[in-house]
Every structure is written in structure tokens, then in C-alpha cells.
Amino acid sequence: MSSRPSLRAMLWRWRRLITAVLIALCLALLVASISASGRITPVQMMVAGRDLPAGHVLTESDVRWIEAPSGAFSGDLLLDDTKDRRLSIAAPEGTPLTTSILVGPTLADSAPDGTVVIPIALSTPAELTPVGSVVDLWVADEGGNAQLLASRATIMAFSEAEGSSRFGGDDIMHSYAAVPAGEATLVLGMSSQRPIMAVLSRQGE
């Protein structure tokens, strides 16, 4: 199997970022076109006020409002507040903030097809596998041998609940991952016994 990701896999992984960039480009072209014709009806649109990472929960200080032509976006895509809004992708400064780049009402809405979202205890630091990372999940047995539990799982979120892990210590991250449905039972069972290691995956589909 090739170690390089296939084009299809790369497009799927970065689909939301590509969508956001295309939306921003289309908006800029549309504003320029309508402004030149002198026919523009502005509406207020929320955009990223600074570079925001994937998984970030929006606050009022993260955004700013700009004037955009009415009709540039369908009304159901536009945001009117930041309450409980979590980004599914990184949003560079100036990116229009629409529902298409948010984690859905439930994590399952944003999960890849054929996966289920399950809670797991990770020993890998969150900064190494941020939300959106595609990872392989491994566990070490009592003899120190590593066992692959699931391939190409997607980190969906990290729990914000405080408290130490049932395994002892505060370095265990409680996370939610989209795991291929056929491998979920094994991952859940092992995660209840010992922490799971997440290894960034670059293999193609």
C-alpha cells in the first residue's frame, strides 16, 4: 500500500477547508462585481476576526461583522450569534462563518460515512492530534506490545469536563472519535481497560 494519501482521501479530509476558501473567493468576486454596477443591498455577515483553529468554540471576541451583498449566501447558512458554535475546520482571518464549517448539532452529523462516534481515553496529547485529525488507534498490552485497534479514525472533539482519569493522572484526554463501525466494539472494550494511543495517519484509502 502506498504511503502517500490518495487524491480522494486528501480531498475528503480537507473538504470543509476547500469549501470555506471557495466561499470566501466567490464572495469577494461577487462584492466586486455588484459594487462596480452600483447595485448592492448590504447585509451583515459574520467573519473570523483572527485565525481560528479547528475545534475552537466561537466567542464574540473571535468574530467581526462585515457588509456583504444580500443573496451572496442562503439565509440558512448565515450565523447570527456565536452561542455553542464549534468550528470543524481552521478558519483563517476573514473567512465567512457559515453553518457549513461548523460541527453539526451532534458529532455524528459531521462524521465520515460508515463510522460511529464513540468516547475514548487517549494518552496522546491533544495538541498533537487536534480535532479533525485522521489517526490510527493503538493500545499497548501488558507485555508492552502494540496492537492496532482501528485505522483512519477521525478525532471529533475533546471533552471539556474537568477531573482526573479513571486510569490515574491528569494526562489522559477524554475524546470522541469517529471510528469505522466494524472496529468500534474493539476500541470501546480496550478503551475501558487502558488508554489508547492515537497515531497520525497518512495512508491512502
Side-chain angles (χ1 to χ4, degrees), residues 2-6 9-10 13 134-136 152 199-205:
S2 173
S3 61
R4 297 182 62 185
S6 67
M10 292 178 65
R13 181 174 182 182
V134 178
V135 300
D136 295 334
R152 299 193 61 77
V199 180
L200 288 171
S201 173
R202 292 182 58 85
Q203 67 181 10
E205 292 185 335

Side-chain angles (χ1 to χ4, degrees), residues 52-76:
L52 301 173
H56 182 72
V57 177
L58 294 176
T59 66
E60 290 293 337
S61 63
D62 296 323
V63 306
R64 57 186 173 87
W65 295 86
I66 65 170
E67 287 191 344
S70 62
F73 293 93
S74 173
D76 60 355

Side-chain angles (χ1 to χ4, degrees), residues 127-156:
E127 58 268 24
L128 298 182
T129 54
V131 171
S133 296
V134 178
V135 300
D136 295 334
L137 300 177
W138 294 76
V139 68
D141 61 24
E142 295 180 354
N145 300 308
Q147 175 187 354
L148 178 64
L149 302 178
S151 298
R152 299 193 61 77
T154 302
I155 302 297
M156 301 297 294

Side-chain angles (χ1 to χ4, degrees), residues 113-116 178-186:
D113 293 340
T115 65
V116 294
V179 176
E183 300 170 333
T185 300
L186 177 60

Side-chain angles (χ1 to χ4, degrees), residues 102-125:
L102 298 177
V103 173
T106 66
L107 292 177
D109 293 331
S110 299
D113 293 340
T115 65
V116 294
V117 178
I118 60 175
I120 56 176
L122 287 181
S123 60
T124 308

